[in-house]
Amino acid sequence: MHGNKKERAPKQAPQPAETVKQQENAAVPESKPQDVSAPKTLPEKEEAPSVNDGTEDNGAAGAAESAKDTAAEGAAEKSVASKADTAAEGEKHEENEKPEKSEQEGKAENAEKAQESGTGGSPSPAAESRAPSKPSEPSNLLEPSAREKLRAALSRLGWKKWAAIAAVFVVLLGAGLFLAFGTTHVIERSDRDAKENIYMVVKPGTTASEISDHLTRLGVIDSRLRFWWLMKLQGDAQKFKTGTYAFAPHMDEQAVLDKLVSGDTTVVRFTIPEGFGIKEIAKRLADEGLVDEQEFLAEAKDFAPYDYMKKRPNERYAAEGYLFPDTYEIHSEVTPEAIMKMMAEDFDTRLTPELRQQAAAKNLSIHDLVTLASLVEKEARYDEDRPIIAQVFFKRLQMGMPLQSDTTLQYLMAGPKEDVSIEDTKIDSPYNTYQHMGLPPGPIASPGMKSILAVLNPASTDYLYFVADRQGHNHYSQTYDEHLAIVEQVR
């Protein structure tokens, strides 16, 4: 094709009109064909003659002849260059530039051919037949798709790279399986018998991750990751039933999962011993998986469903002393408030009208009755000691002596202490009955009925002092000197 002849013509300086005309006539392919098999033998371009000032010299004829030869050589050179360029472009864009020319480009080419052939008219039917009959397609359709690009990229990866990727995958998979099935994550629970039940409540909206964390924290399962893998592999994460469940320590993860999916719930039963304070109650319930310890303590600060439970100044917990120690069963959803309400109702029921009248006869409010009973509960290990200790406290209150009960100091400490020291008696607190006269601001524990009855029915003695031996039996005296002598003997 010669459509690109004008674009590929060699650059030349402007020439006179006659010279241009002669060059056009010389462009007719009458000259001897050139050998295109060896482009390097083509003659080099000659510089075009410069434009004169309008006058011709005596060598005009020779110049015209030279121009004629030059034009013929240029035509042959352009033909060879055009064919070489066309072949190179065909190899380079063999796949990406196959669409046919647009109709407008075809018309322009035909017009150019007609002008070169000297017809000056419209393009010939043959030229029109070569014009494209289809509209050109968008160029983006020729671009390879994302899938083809990915396939091409993967095909370029050698076997060594594939082997490296496979090795990394195997290592990661092995590490994950080792963490899930080869390790344990045990959280030891405090003060728990291995045969005791561990209760856990599954509430509506509780996530599988929260359940896994709770089971691990309570010591029901040893591996949170292993339990999580079982849930995912079996598709049980959304199948847990709500309710209260009883578990044992270090159960098999599959057994725990089956229990939660089948809805094998239970009735909650727990026991609060006599003499437990709010902190000990909260810890026991938390260890059994019924409540959050800190949440329970926060609720106990102001829990006072009855008037006699109203919080006094300097009192730590309004519920202290009124959560009756007993064995309880819960048949509904477990919350700190629900547990405290159940225990406080039990106390209010046990404090019969007759017992309330006896307290009033001794000028004791219910608050003072429970406070004194809590001191007796913490000081006495044996039942025979309760009425005598109650009588010692009453006598000291009547005489204006400080109660000097070690149990009130223990209440201020983080943990129990076998023997308090002189330094402990100097603790600055309203609960310190060594430093403050009268009763402490409130109860220090939950007294049982025996201690409450001992306060309402104290013994008739003249004792002012008592000290317990290492076995928990108390020894009494009337004077301080007698008391010191007994202390030397039993301690």
Side-chain angles (χ1 to χ4, degrees):
M1 293 178 65
H2 303 282
N4 295 327
K5 181 179 292 186
K6 289 185 177 182
E7 297 177 0
R8 299 186 180 273
K11 296 182 180 180
Q12 296 180 356
Q15 301 177 1
E18 291 183 3
T19 303
V20 174
K21 186 175 181 181
Q22 291 174 359
Q23 291 176 353
E24 291 179 355
N25 293 334
V28 180
E30 294 179 356
S31 60
K32 186 177 179 179
Q34 301 290 327
D35 185 6
V36 298
S37 61
K40 63 181 180 178
T41 61
L42 290 176
E44 297 181 357
K45 296 180 183 180
E46 298 180 6
E47 295 182 1
S50 60
V51 180
N52 57 21
D53 57 356
T55 61
E56 296 183 0
D57 55 11
N58 296 330
E65 189 68 18
S66 176
K68 195 173 184 180
D69 294 340
T70 302
E73 292 174 359
E77 181 180 355
K78 286 188 285 183
S79 175
V80 172
S82 176
K83 290 181 179 180
D85 293 341
T86 303
E89 292 180 1
E91 291 180 2
K92 185 175 182 181
H93 307 287
E94 182 178 353
E95 294 181 0
N96 297 334
E97 294 189 1
K98 290 183 179 180
E100 301 180 13
K101 294 182 179 180
S102 63
E103 183 176 356
Q104 184 177 358
E105 291 175 337
K107 290 181 180 181
E109 181 181 354
N110 291 336
E112 181 181 347
K113 285 183 177 181
Q115 185 177 1
E116 291 176 355
S117 60
T119 58
S122 60
S124 64
E128 288 187 358
S129 65
R130 293 194 299 270
S133 59
K134 296 181 180 180
S136 61
E137 298 180 359
S139 60
N140 58 357
L141 296 180
L142 300 178
E143 297 179 0
S145 62
R147 184 178 299 177
E148 293 174 350
K149 290 181 179 179
L150 178 60
R151 187 182 295 112
L154 293 177
S155 65
R156 287 195 296 269
L157 289 176
W159 68 270
K160 292 184 178 180
K161 293 184 178 179
W162 278 112
I165 293 174
V168 172
F169 176 77
V170 170
V171 171
L172 293 177
L173 179 62
L177 293 175
F178 177 78
L179 289 174
F181 297 100
T183 61
T184 57
H185 181 61
V186 182
I187 298 180
E188 297 294 339
R189 292 169 297 118
S190 60
D191 192 25
R192 291 301 312 276
D193 192 307
K195 296 181 179 180
E196 287 187 59
N197 284 330
I198 302 175
Y199 295 99
M200 189 188 75
V201 180
V202 177
K203 302 178 182 179
T206 305
T207 64
S209 179
E210 292 172 342
I211 292 174
S212 301
D213 291 339
H214 203 182
L215 288 170
T216 308
R217 182 171 61 83
L218 293 174
V220 176
I221 58 176
D222 295 336
S223 174
R224 180 189 182 279
L225 289 174
R226 188 159 53 231
F227 185 78
W228 183 88
W229 269 94
L230 286 174
M231 284 193 303
K232 293 300 182 182
L233 292 176
Q234 299 179 16
D236 293 333
Q238 305 297 329
K239 298 180 181 179
F240 296 160
K241 306 294 190 303
T242 59
T244 304
Y245 294 84
F247 299 107
H250 312 296
M251 287 184 64
D252 178 73
E253 283 80 5
Q254 186 63 59
V256 174
L257 191 60
D258 293 341
K259 200 177 188 72
L260 292 169
V261 172
S262 64
D264 185 13
T265 58
T266 187
V267 175
V268 177
R269 180 181 287 105
F270 65 91
T271 300
I272 301 300
E274 296 173 344
F276 261 36
I278 288 293
K279 290 183 177 180
E280 295 164 300
I281 295 173
K283 185 174 180 57
R284 169 64 63 87
L285 295 176
D287 283 344
E288 295 189 359
L290 296 176
V291 300
D292 179 83
E293 184 175 355
Q294 297 304 318
E295 183 179 344
F296 188 89
L297 293 175
E299 186 72 25
K301 285 183 178 294
D302 300 304
F303 180 79
Y306 302 101
D307 291 340
Y308 53 78
M309 293 177 62
K310 185 177 180 181
K311 191 174 183 181
R312 270 68 171 179
N314 300 319
E315 194 173 16
R316 286 187 168 186
Y317 300 100
E320 188 76 86
Y322 299 100
L323 305 184
F324 193 76
D326 202 351
T327 297
Y328 296 91
E329 289 186 353
I330 301 178
H331 301 270
S332 58
E333 186 177 354
V334 181
T335 63
E337 184 179 2
I339 292 177
M340 283 186 279
K341 182 179 180 181
M342 180 174 56
M343 297 178 72
E345 286 178 352
D346 189 13
F347 170 82
D348 191 70
T349 300
R350 291 174 180 272
L351 195 64
T352 63
E354 291 77 15
L355 296 179
R356 298 177 194 232
Q357 290 176 1
Q358 290 182 19
K362 290 184 172 294
N363 295 321
L364 291 174
S365 65
I366 295 178
H367 183 74
D368 292 342
L369 170 64
V370 176
T371 301
L372 259 176
S374 69
L375 298 180
V376 173
E377 186 68 53
K378 298 296 288 184
E379 290 283 8
R381 183 179 298 183
Y382 300 98
D383 291 344
E384 61 268 20
D385 289 324
R386 301 180 194 278
I388 302 175
I389 294 174
Q391 183 271 332
V392 171
F393 286 148
F394 272 119
K395 199 170 188 67
R396 284 186 170 234
L397 288 173
Q398 293 171 356
M399 296 176 61
M401 290 181 62
L403 296 180
Q404 295 180 328
S405 173
D406 292 352
T407 60
T408 59
L409 299 179
Q410 299 274 8
Y411 185 71
L412 299 174
M413 299 176 185
K417 190 175 182 180
E418 185 175 8
D419 293 317
V420 298
S421 63
I422 299 298
E423 192 67 26
D424 293 333
T425 62
K426 299 178 181 179
I427 296 175
D428 184 15
S429 172
Y431 282 90
N432 185 350
T433 55
Y434 279 85
Q435 301 293 332
H436 297 271
M437 301 289 292
L439 294 172
I444 61 173
S446 293
M449 285 304 302
K450 291 180 180 179
S451 294
I452 293 175
L453 293 175
V455 173
L456 294 176
N457 301 280
S460 177
T461 67
D462 293 326
Y463 296 132
L464 287 175
Y465 303 93
F466 64 88
V467 60
D469 58 26
R470 297 304 181 188
Q471 290 71 41
H473 294 282
N474 278 284
H475 301 267
Y476 305 95
S477 57
Q478 295 180 353
T479 66
Y480 187 63
D481 291 338
E482 293 175 350
H483 173 67
L484 292 178
I486 294 175
V487 170
E488 289 292 331
Q489 294 175 7
V490 301
R491 294 292 181 95

